[in-house]
Amino acid sequence: MIDTLVIPLLKIVIVLNATLVSVTYMVLLERKVIAWAQSRLGPMRVGPYGILQPVADAVKLMIKEDITPVRADRWVFTIAPIISMVPALIVYAVIPFGPEVKLFGRQVTLYITDINVGLLYIVSVASVGVYGIILAGYASNSKYPLLASLRASAQLISYEVAVTLTLVSVIMMAGSLSMVSIVRAQQSSHMWYAFVQPLAFLIFFIGGLAETNRAPFDLPEAEQELTGGFHTEYSGMRFALFFLAEYANMIVVSSVATTLFLGGWLRPFPNVAFLSFLDFIPSWTWFLVKSFVFLYIFIWVRATLPRYRYDQLMRLGWKVLIPLAIANLVVTGIIKVMLL
Amino acid sequence: MADAPAHVPKAAAPTGPPDPPPPADVTAPAFIATLHAAVPGGVTHVSYWLGDWTLVVPAALILQVAQHLRDAADAAFDFCSDVTATDWPPRAEGRFDVVYCLYSTRHRHRVRLKVILGEQQPLASVTGVWPAAGWLEREVYDMFGVGFTGHPDRRRILMPEDWQGHPQRKDYPLEGPGELLLENPIEWLKLRQSREQADIE
Amino acid sequence: MLSSYIPIAIFVAVATGFALFTLVFTSLIHPSKYNKVKLEPYECGIEPLSDARDRYSIRYYLVAMLFVIFDVETVFMFPWAVIFDKLLLFGLIEMLVFIFILVVGYYYAWQKGALEWV
Amino acid sequence: MDTPVIHHGAMFDTNELVLNMGPQHPSTHGVLRVVLRLDGEKVVDADVVIGYLHRGIEKLSENRNWTQIILLTDRMDYVAAATNNVGYCETVEKLMSLEVPRRARYVRTILCELQRIASHCLWVGTHAMDIGAMTVFLYAFRERELILDLFEEMCGARLTYNSMRIGGLPLDIPPGWDKKVLEFCTIMATKIDEYEELLTHNRIWLERTKGIGVIDGPAAVALGLSGPPLRGSGVPRDVRKDEPYAAYDEMEFDVPIGTAGDTYDRYLVRLEEFRQSLRVIRQATEGIPEGPIVGKVPRLIKPPAGETYHAIESPKGELGYFIVSDGKSTNPYRFRVRPPSFCNLQGLRTLIKGHLVADVVALIGSLDVVLGEVDR
């Protein structure tokens, strides 16, 4: 009873809270990093160096008037942000933050659950989030959100194909769909998959940028063209849920990339005894540091690059990434057969 | 035109710029002579002031003159800088001066054409010669009520679609028509007449 | 085996509960002074004339159809990839045939211009 | 609303979507309204609607005296107010046949070129922002700030300067100001490279701007484009060179022209204009002559009866003033501005046909319109 219900529930609450806090601070980090890139200070008013800004933002979003446009489909309009946010959160159920540790005399795993189809679960749950965006655009009954949601759906499904194909190469290397096993396989093969599968890593990263609607692929919410994109009509807490979903998705992509390609919770060179003094740092710290690097790159890219145009984005997805992913898959298979 | 009734200004209103003819020591550029030859009667008056050449063109011949000035090798006015108008209400031969400022990117010289036009008199649009004139003529129509014939898109441009009157005319009331004119022009006219009546009394 | 899915079920419940709770909670505390203009859909300051729901460009549907084909095929590869170590050459050849068919379809779509946006 | 049906084939008929972009839209540079007819994301036709910022400056000016109009011209192209002042004052001086002292002409040249840089700074920032590169915007505004500081020291205002008088200048340049201008030139020269680093060879930038809104030279001339949009199409037309005003006849500078006539070439032309402007500023500041700053101006400004048209090269293109004086009153009889943005914006419809929604904002940006000037 304790093992099946109470401990998972505790872990879920902790992960949920940690995610929500990191999402809010992610926003602050983004504003700060972009500000530094643009030689300005960023938020400085709320708390010292603006560190309480997320709290102020959260309170503001909560007490903000929530508007449903007259022509909108009321129910769908309300459900859409929930559909967008819930999948973004429940992906964390299978992400391993660390191996088993001893805590209060109990063996506790630093992941909520380890299912044997973990990667498939992530892929399928993540694609549910698209429905939130499509429904939001459709329910608003306004032209800009509609155009944006059509864009969003076409874009997300295009990059989904390339990303899934790269995952197949990773699965071939690890021989398992479980996230924990994939990390362990990287330990036993003495190699992070980022070095074995550099192309897959790159495609996954680009696809990840596109799937989280981040610059330079942020067309569904390109404020210069489509004003606010699919959430133009949203305000208050329903807008906040979309916002939460977007940043939670960023963290998901970073975490998945860390797990699949950068050895998850493993320290650098996990099999080199010479570096074992690094073991005093807890495993989950390595995980967080690696994910943070990804998040930083997300922000950095946003501060640097202009935005793709829609047809260029589709061309990149269908005509460059998909052929590359297929080629990568075939080459991986052939090399594996030759080596074994 | 559903315009304000002609308003006679207090002081004697000017009746147009002097447009002095060129002095004896200034030689006219060659394209003017060629234009005279190509479009007989196309220029009724040539003026030179402050280094600018102005040609007064009869309204009926504006298209031919424009065509010639654009295509003739010695003129080559391919760039239509500006189309505008000036309102001289009391003038006998027509209240509007429609002014075309032309420039040649080949010869780097300028010329101004001027058409004297009556209130209801239509004028051929030069958009076929210079597409640049499209919006400029729309603005002249909007501001002065000059009706251009053959214009592909004759709408108001700066004022709202349902605006009454043409604001750049000299007899347009300076305080503006107010809300009433937009909503109910007949009531506005009555109000204005009663106010003038009061002034006289 | 199935017990490892229980946490996921709990997570779905907690996450949905959280979303619903925040929506209900904030609906109690936020101001609601609505008026006609505020509730109008955004159309850049112009009163919206037509309904936004209309017949859209065919391109979007084409992309969706292509996606379905590709994604279903990719999902077929998942189990294959898991036991690739055991299948080896047999599995490779079989999958090469499968991918070849996929690529032929892809090439056809490319040549037909289905991947061109404009 | 009945929208026309596009025929892809009997099975695939779709309706055009009428999308209203503006006036309340983040990238219509003020209050421009573009009504787009879309097939998917492709622009089938567009109607450009202006007039949302119409304040009737032309009509107002007919009821102000000649000096009061200067501050009205500030409000037209409000990112290059001093250029408007210079254009207006020169036109009135031409009308009155006034001689402007050489020192005043030099200062006018410096101010005009500083304004060109300030205006182009704002342009490069917003144009890059429209295409999604947000960092250039803040970099460019950082340098624009330096120019605003220079102007503040020169005439006390940061945006609407009212910095000219008919016949010369209201005040001489403050002591040490010329040194600061030279310092600014040194700083600016390195910053232009910074913008270029972020954009010029950026693959995405190239994809977004190359081949977008192509217009060839003769078509651009016929459409009445002027300034960088015209020069981007390879027409070497610059009022500063062709009909020199202020002290441009004494300056050495090149007129950069493009070849392809697309958005990228217009971008390159403007970036090169940054450098040429710095060159002019350096020459003018170093060679600034001593002497009076105002010519022999009568107490009562009342030009003789007549009309004239005078054009200068504003950062946006040919800024012309057509002014009619009746010779009797102390205000112009007719005051007409030929705003470069107005005429350039006219080309938008031609340029965006067949492009995508995203290109519309890129093209509005590449024309560099200021709606204060379009609508007056």
Side-chain angles (χ1 to χ4, degrees):
Chain A
M1 187 63 190
I2 285 185
D3 276 332
T4 52
L5 283 180
V6 178
I7 291 192
L9 192 61
L10 269 177
K11 281 195 272 192
I12 285 166
V13 170
I14 291 169
V15 167
L16 195 62
N17 279 308
T19 312
L20 295 178
V21 171
S22 48
V23 162
T24 48
Y25 273 88
M26 186 66 211
V27 179
L28 178 67
L29 179 81
E30 173 158 34
R31 291 177 65 180
K32 279 285 186 189
V33 170
I34 289 181
W36 293 329
Q38 297 168 342
S39 64
R40 57 194 173 91
L41 290 171
M44 287 295 278
R45 294 301 175 95
V46 192
Y49 296 97
I51 55 166
L52 294 179
Q53 185 70 41
V55 182
D57 284 347
V59 171
K60 188 205 87 172
L61 283 169
M62 271 191 219
I63 59 176
K64 194 147 178 107
E65 191 168 19
D66 206 348
I67 292 164
T68 313
V70 271
R71 297 188 187 191
D73 190 329
R74 289 194 76 85
W75 279 105
V76 182
F77 193 76
T78 311
I79 291 168
I82 301 177
I83 295 180
S84 190
M85 195 203 69
V86 172
L89 289 180
I90 60 173
V91 170
Y92 292 100
V94 296
I95 288 173
F97 302 95
E100 300 189 333
V101 290
K102 242 186 148 51
L103 212 62
F104 308 117
R106 216 170 231 293
Q107 271 314 104
V108 180
T109 54
L110 285 184
Y111 42 86
I112 293 171
T113 182
D114 177 28
I115 52 177
N116 56 6
V117 289
L119 207 48
L120 200 57
Y121 168 81
I122 292 179
V123 171
S124 39
V125 167
S127 29
V128 175
V130 186
Y131 287 99
I133 292 175
I134 299 175
L135 290 178
Y138 185 75
S140 300
N141 198 357
S142 167
K143 282 169 190 163
Y144 282 97
L146 185 86
L147 211 57
S149 75
L150 287 174
R151 268 186 179 192
S153 38
Q155 169 184 341
L156 296 195
I157 59 180
S158 300
Y159 280 79
E160 181 112 2
V161 175
V163 166
T164 322
L165 280 171
T166 65
L167 294 184
V168 176
S169 328
V170 173
I171 300 164
M172 277 164 76
M173 301 296 298
S176 169
L177 283 167
S178 146
M179 299 295 272
V180 178
S181 316
I182 290 173
V183 175
R184 294 206 197 284
Q186 291 182 56
Q187 187 166 20
S188 56
S189 69
H190 300 241
M191 197 60 116
W192 290 357
Y193 286 158
F195 299 111
V196 198
Q197 291 278 2
L199 189 60
F201 180 53
L202 195 70
I203 295 173
F204 182 86
F205 181 70
I206 295 173
L209 279 176
E211 289 220 30
T212 46
N213 301 335
R214 292 287 302 182
F217 307 105
D218 54 346
L219 287 122
E221 42 198 284
E223 72 264 24
Q224 281 83 17
E225 299 144 29
L226 298 181
T227 59
F230 59 89
H231 54 55
T232 303
E233 299 291 351
Y234 280 86
S235 58
M237 202 60 211
R238 278 180 287 195
F239 167 74
L241 292 186
F242 274 121
F243 207 65
L244 216 66
E246 186 190 331
Y247 281 85
N249 272 326
M250 265 168 76
I251 302 179
V252 165
V253 170
S254 311
S255 312
V256 174
T258 306
T259 313
L260 298 185
F261 293 101
L262 293 185
W265 68 78
L266 302 175
R267 69 173 161 80
F269 307 105
N271 305 309
V272 181
F274 169 69
L275 287 170
S276 56
F277 67 92
L278 285 172
D279 278 340
F280 80 94
I281 301 173
S283 52
W284 50 269
T285 319
W286 290 114
F287 180 86
L288 293 186
V289 168
K290 288 172 193 171
S291 311
F292 182 81
V293 170
F294 271 101
L295 292 174
Y296 185 82
I297 295 173
F298 271 86
I299 298 169
W300 184 15
V301 167
R302 182 174 171 200
T304 316
L305 292 181
R307 182 182 300 119
Y308 266 109
R309 205 174 56 207
Y310 195 66
D311 58 325
Q312 294 163 352
L313 172 113
M314 297 303 272
R315 197 176 60 216
L316 182 70
W318 283 101
K319 292 194 174 172
V320 180
L321 294 187
I322 291 180
L324 278 179
I326 294 177
N328 186 58
L329 184 68
V330 172
V331 171
T332 309
I334 292 171
I335 289 179
K336 241 192 136 188
V337 170
M338 278 160 63
L339 287 183
L340 286 173
Chain B
M1 292 292 120
D3 271 318
H7 172 75
V8 186
K10 309 266 182 312
T15 52
D19 284 340
D25 55 334
V26 178
T27 45
F31 69 84
I32 295 181
T34 335
L35 176 64
H36 270 300
V39 188
V43 180
T44 52
H45 176 68
V46 179
S47 151
Y48 178 82
W49 195 54
L50 300 171
D52 300 351
W53 288 93
T54 307
L55 312 177
V56 179
V57 178
L61 289 173
I62 183 65
L63 260 184
Q64 284 177 48
V65 171
Q67 198 86 44
H68 173 80
L69 284 179
R70 188 193 63 178
D71 297 335
D74 56 351
F77 289 104
D78 48 359
F79 188 85
C80 177
S81 270
D82 200 5
V83 178
T84 186
T86 317
D87 184 16
W88 309 91
R91 193 165 59 187
E93 57 265 49
R95 66 184 286 187
F96 296 121
D97 276 351
V98 179
V99 180
Y100 301 82
C101 303
L102 307 179
Y103 179 77
S104 163
T105 55
R106 198 187 317 157
H107 303 306
R108 310 203 181 286
H109 55 196
R110 282 186 186 278
V111 75
R112 269 204 310 274
L113 305 183
K114 189 189 274 186
V115 176
I116 293 169
L117 205 66
E119 170 131 22
Q120 300 294 336
Q121 207 181 332
L123 181 63
S125 162
V126 295
T127 43
V129 185
W130 298 289
W135 275 23
L136 296 162
E137 284 183 350
R138 269 177 77 184
E139 192 182 336
V140 172
Y141 162 71
D142 190 0
M143 292 298 160
F144 292 92
V146 174
F148 288 96
T149 51
H151 192 285
D153 183 23
R154 212 185 89 173
R155 286 178 295 161
R156 283 187 178 274
I157 186 162
L158 291 176
M159 306 306 281
E161 293 276 316
D162 53 355
W163 194 263
Q164 307 283 327
H166 299 282
Q168 289 274 24
R169 289 188 176 190
K170 285 287 171 184
D171 50 15
Y172 188 83
L174 273 187
E175 76 273 15
E179 291 285 309
L180 189 61
L181 172 58
L182 283 178
E183 281 159 15
N184 194 343
I186 296 161
E187 280 296 307
W188 176 80
L189 264 180
K190 276 185 197 151
L191 191 77
R192 202 182 133 102
Q193 275 160 358
S194 67
R195 213 182 275 158
E196 270 166 15
Q197 208 71 41
D199 273 354
I200 294 162
E201 283 163 8
Chain C
M1 191 53 219
L2 212 57
S3 67
S4 57
Y5 287 91
I6 292 174
I8 293 178
I10 301 174
F11 208 152
V12 173
V14 171
T16 318
F18 166 77
L20 286 174
F21 169 76
T22 47
L23 283 184
V24 173
F25 174 70
T26 53
S27 71
L28 297 177
I29 59 172
H30 71 67
S32 33
K33 294 189 195 99
Y34 300 120
N35 58 48
K36 194 171 162 285
V37 178
K38 209 188 262 184
L39 292 175
E40 237 163 42
Y42 174 80
E43 183 104 14
C44 289
I46 302 288
E47 235 168 81
L49 296 169
S50 57
D51 200 272
R53 292 167 191 158
D54 210 334
R55 299 166 75 182
Y56 320 121
S57 169
I58 193 76
R59 299 264 158 217
Y60 295 108
Y61 301 100
L62 268 181
V63 171
M65 262 141 74
L66 282 176
F67 164 72
V68 171
I69 298 164
F70 274 88
D71 218 37
V72 169
E73 307 231 6
T74 320
V75 169
F76 278 133
M77 289 183 197
F78 270 69
W80 165 78
V82 172
I83 52 162
F84 185 71
D85 285 348
K86 294 173 195 116
L87 295 173
L88 283 179
L89 195 59
F90 167 70
L92 179 71
I93 291 167
E94 207 179 31
M95 198 34 78
L96 282 181
V97 171
F98 185 71
I99 289 176
F100 178 72
I101 296 168
L102 182 71
V103 168
V104 167
Y106 175 75
Y107 180 76
Y108 177 76
W110 188 321
Q111 291 303 312
K112 271 288 183 187
L115 306 184
E116 296 291 336
W117 193 261
V118 187
Chain D
M1 189 166 173
D2 51 321
T3 43
V5 171
I6 307 166
H7 294 282
H8 289 298
M11 275 172 72
F12 298 143
D13 283 355
T14 48
N15 283 356
E16 283 178 359
L17 182 72
V18 178
L19 188 71
N20 187 50
M21 200 178 228
Q24 302 281 321
H25 189 279
S27 51
T28 47
H29 291 228
V31 278
L32 172 65
R33 179 177 168 209
V34 186
V35 184
L36 300 168
R37 290 224 320 264
L38 298 178
D39 167 25
E41 293 234 345
K42 198 169 160 186
V43 179
V44 179
D45 200 359
D47 184 17
V48 181
V49 182
I50 60 172
Y52 290 93
L53 210 59
H54 180 57
R55 291 151 297 175
I57 285 180
E58 288 182 7
K59 184 80 175 175
L60 274 174
S61 303
E62 288 170 15
N63 300 285
R64 297 284 183 282
N65 72 37
W66 294 89
T67 314
Q68 285 170 332
I69 293 171
I70 299 173
L71 67 91
L72 287 177
T73 63
D74 274 337
R75 272 80 184 163
M76 292 190 313
D77 180 359
Y78 41 74
V79 295
T83 317
N84 301 345
N85 297 158
V86 171
Y88 169 71
C89 290
E90 296 229 332
T91 316
V92 181
E93 283 149 12
K94 183 178 171 192
L95 213 48
M96 299 172 73
S97 309
L98 279 177
E99 184 75 28
V100 182
R102 202 154 156 255
R103 185 177 174 83
R105 289 194 283 123
Y106 263 70
V107 174
R108 282 180 180 184
T109 310
I110 299 172
L111 294 186
C112 277
E113 290 308 307
L114 279 176
Q115 285 285 263
R116 191 178 312 277
I117 294 179
S119 168
H120 282 4
C121 272
L122 192 126
W123 163 79
V124 74
T126 48
H127 184 41
M129 192 93 154
D130 286 344
I131 299 185
M134 58 195 297
T135 299
V136 185
F137 177 76
L138 283 129
Y139 284 3
F141 265 56
R142 184 181 61 194
E143 273 75 68
R144 182 171 174 263
E145 196 67 18
L146 299 174
I147 298 173
L148 297 192
D149 287 344
L150 287 173
F151 268 99
E152 190 177 14
E153 198 176 333
M154 170 84 198
C155 56
R158 293 173 66 81
L159 196 67
T160 47
Y161 307 119
N162 194 6
S163 59
M164 287 299 141
R165 289 298 175 272
I166 292 157
L169 304 168
L171 287 167
D172 206 344
I173 57 169
W177 190 75
D178 48 346
K179 291 221 172 46
K180 283 181 193 161
V181 171
L182 289 176
E183 259 169 50
F184 163 77
C185 290
T186 322
I187 299 171
M188 190 66 205
T190 62
K191 302 296 183 191
I192 302 165
D193 299 336
E194 215 168 89
Y195 311 152
E196 286 223 73
E197 227 165 81
L198 275 164
L199 300 176
T200 307
H201 302 294
N202 187 321
R203 270 202 73 85
I204 304 178
W205 181 263
L206 288 171
E207 283 194 32
R208 283 299 303 276
T209 52
K210 276 217 159 180
I212 302 301
V214 180
I215 186 162
D216 62 353
V221 170
L223 256 182
L225 302 186
S226 55
L230 181 64
R231 290 193 286 270
S233 300
V235 181
R237 154 139 171 76
D238 190 321
V239 184
R240 292 177 293 172
K241 270 267 192 259
D242 303 342
E243 303 155 271
Y245 55 95
Y248 285 108
D249 46 348
E250 299 172 38
M251 301 294 151
E252 245 179 60
F253 63 98
D254 301 322
V255 177
I257 56 167
T259 47
D262 56 3
T263 304
Y264 186 64
D265 274 23
R266 293 192 271 272
Y267 158 81
L268 288 182
V269 163
R270 286 197 181 94
L271 276 190
E272 186 52 33
E273 281 187 9
F274 269 127
R275 302 210 168 84
Q276 297 301 332
S277 292
L278 287 178
R279 220 172 122 194
V280 175
I281 295 174
R282 279 216 188 88
Q283 289 171 46
T285 318
E286 278 160 4
I288 192 164
E290 291 299 318
I293 54 162
V294 191
K296 287 198 185 70
V297 184
R299 287 282 293 276
L300 185 66
I301 295 172
K302 202 192 228 177
E307 59 186 24
T308 193
Y309 177 86
H310 179 71
I312 66 163
E313 183 77 17
S314 97
K316 314 283 186 292
E318 178 186 329
L319 171 67
Y321 286 90
F322 175 78
I323 299 181
V324 184
S325 164
D326 59 4
K328 289 179 198 142
S329 52
T330 54
N331 41 2
Y333 185 79
R334 169 86 171 106
F335 175 87
R336 153 77 185 168
V337 190
R338 188 260 184 207
S341 298
F342 181 87
C343 298
N344 288 350
L345 191 59
Q346 186 176 201
L348 183 64
R349 183 173 174 215
T350 318
L351 292 182
I352 58 182
K353 264 189 207 169
H355 285 299
L356 298 174
V357 181
D359 296 327
V360 175
V361 289
L363 281 168
I364 296 173
S366 90
L367 289 176
D368 190 16
V369 290
V370 167
L371 268 293
E373 185 179 68
V374 174
D375 296 343
R376 285 149 292 152

